[in-house]
Amino acid sequence: MNARARWRPVALAWAALMALLLLTLGLAYLPLGRLNLVAALAIAAAKAALVVVVFMHPRRGPSALRVAAVVGVATLSLLFGLSSLDFGTRHAEPAAAQVPKQLPPLRQPGPGPRPER
Amino acid sequence: MAAVLPARPTPEAAPQDHEVGLLGMWIFLVTELLFFGGLFLAYAVARAHAPEAFALAGAHTHVVLGTINTALLLTASALVAGAVSAGEADRASRAVPWLLGLAAALGVAFLAVKGAEYVSEWHEHLVPGPDFALRDVGGAQLFFVLYWTMTALHGVHVAVGVAVLALFARGTHRLSAWATPRRVEVAGLYWHFVDLVWIVLYPLLYLMGRHP
C-alpha cells in the first residue's frame, strides 16, 4: 500500500470533520428552536463516530477491546437513563440561585470582656 | 524435572503484548469516559432546569477561539492517525516523528488559546463568585462552574497528551527501541480520546444561545 492510499482515509476524515465543524457553527446561528440542540448533538455524535472509526481502529485488536468500549458506553447510558428518570419524574422545586454576598462579621470589634463560651 | 521456561519475548516478537497494550488503553479510556460522563450528566440536569440561563451564559463564551481550538484538536488527531499509519508501513519512516511533533505543537497552541481565553474571561468577571458578571441570572453561575471545571479538566488531559506525543516524537526520531509503532498507536488512542471529549464540549459550551 503506497503512502497516498494509506493517508487517504485520514485526509478524507479530516476534511469531513472540518466541514461538520463549520456546519455546526453555522447552524448555531439559525433560530431553529429545540432543533438547535438536536442538530448540535447529532453533529457532535457524527464527528465522534468519525474519530473513533477512522482514527482509533476499533476493529483491529482483540474482541475484548470492543466489549470494553461497549460496556463503557452502556454504563454511561445507564447513568444518564436512570438519572433522567429521577430528575424527570420529580417535581422541581426551583431554589433561587443564591447571590453571593459578604455577611457582617459575627463578633463586633470593640472594648469589653470576651463573651464566655 | 526441568521446567521449560519460554524465552522472554521481545517487543517485536510478541503480538499479544500489543493486544494487551491496546486493551489496557481502551479500558483506561472507558474509565475516563465515565469520569467526564458525570460532568456531562451534571450539565444535562442543570441545563434542563435552567435552559434560558444556559443560553444566556453560553452566549458569553468566546465562540471564535473555541472554534479555532476545535479545528486545532481535530487536525492534531488526524496528524496522529497519519503518524500511526506511516509507522506501520515503515518503522523508520521520517514522517512519524514530524507528524507527532506537529500534533504536539498544535496541542500547545490549543493550550495557549485556552489560556488567552481564560485571561479574557477573568477580566470579564465570568468566574463564579461575588464579582460574577451575570449574578442576576439564576443558573448562569452553574453554567460557568461547569465551563471552568470541564475545560480545566480537559486542559489537563491535553497537557498530558502533549507530553506523551512529544515523548514519542523524540523516541521515533532517535529510533529508540521502545518507540515501536505499536506503542505509538496505543499512545495515539489517548490523544483521540482527548479530541472526542472536546468534540462534545464544543457545542455544549460555545454554541448555546447564539441565534437571535
Side-chain angles (χ1 to χ4, degrees):
Chain A
M1 199 158 58
N2 62 16
R4 196 180 232 181
R6 260 188 292 116
W7 286 353
R8 198 156 171 229
V10 172
L12 286 178
W14 178 81
L17 286 169
M18 288 297 143
L20 286 171
L21 172 60
L22 293 179
L23 179 67
T24 192
L25 178 66
L27 283 178
Y29 284 89
L30 298 180
L32 302 174
R34 289 185 77 84
L35 274 182
N36 274 119
L37 182 65
V38 175
L41 291 180
I43 291 175
K47 278 154 84 185
L50 268 176
V51 170
V52 170
V53 172
V54 182
F55 294 169
M56 295 175 83
H57 306 298
R59 281 185 233 167
R60 276 196 251 163
S63 51
L65 175 159
R66 290 175 285 282
V67 172
V70 169
V71 165
V73 173
T75 310
L76 191 65
S77 314
L78 259 183
L79 176 70
F80 269 76
L82 292 180
S83 306
S84 310
L85 269 182
D86 189 349
F87 286 107
T89 55
R90 203 184 276 245
H91 178 64
E93 295 287 357
Q98 196 177 2
V99 178
K101 60 181 174 185
Q102 179 69 53
L103 295 173
L106 289 176
R107 195 189 297 160
Q108 296 298 328
R114 290 166 69 103
E116 302 231 344
R117 302 197 65 176
Chain B
M1 216 159 55
V4 180
L5 291 174
R8 191 163 179 273
T10 61
E12 289 301 330
Q16 68 273 25
D17 272 9
H18 178 231
E19 301 206 330
V20 166
L22 279 179
L23 179 60
M25 181 52 85
W26 274 87
I27 290 175
F28 171 65
L29 294 184
V30 163
T31 67
E32 290 270 72
L33 176 73
L34 293 169
F35 181 36
F36 279 100
L39 286 168
F40 283 116
L41 176 66
Y43 179 97
V45 171
R47 187 184 189 282
H49 280 83
E52 293 86 9
F54 267 53
L56 193 146
H60 280 76
T61 53
H62 297 253
V63 67
V64 175
L65 296 182
T67 307
I68 291 172
N69 263 352
T70 312
L72 287 176
L73 277 196
L74 292 175
T75 307
S77 236
L79 293 178
V80 169
V84 169
S85 139
E88 278 167 354
D90 170 19
R91 207 199 135 163
S93 166
R94 294 289 78 201
V96 178
W98 280 103
L99 290 171
L100 292 178
L102 197 54
L106 292 183
V108 171
F110 173 94
L111 290 174
V113 171
K114 201 85 207 81
E117 214 179 325
Y118 278 167
V119 169
S120 158
E121 280 152 355
W122 174 268
H123 290 301
E124 288 164 41
H125 296 281
L126 291 174
V127 183
D131 287 333
F132 187 60
L134 310 169
R135 57 198 296 181
D136 299 331
V137 184
Q141 300 220 40
L142 261 181
F143 177 88
F144 273 98
V145 165
L146 288 166
Y147 167 83
W148 288 93
T149 311
M150 289 165 120
T151 54
L153 191 62
H154 176 265
V156 170
H157 282 76
V158 173
V160 171
V162 164
V164 170
L165 289 184
L167 190 71
F168 273 93
R170 200 174 121 108
T172 51
H173 180 66
R174 296 178 164 191
L175 297 175
S176 306
W178 58 267
T180 61
R182 292 159 173 177
R183 288 182 181 154
V184 171
E185 186 183 1
V186 172
L189 285 176
Y190 178 79
W191 186 256
H192 295 314
F193 176 80
V194 172
D195 193 26
L196 284 176
V197 171
W198 186 261
I199 285 174
V200 183
L201 281 182
Y202 169 67
L204 296 182
L205 300 179
Y206 291 94
L207 299 183
M208 291 295 132
R210 291 294 165 191
H211 56 83

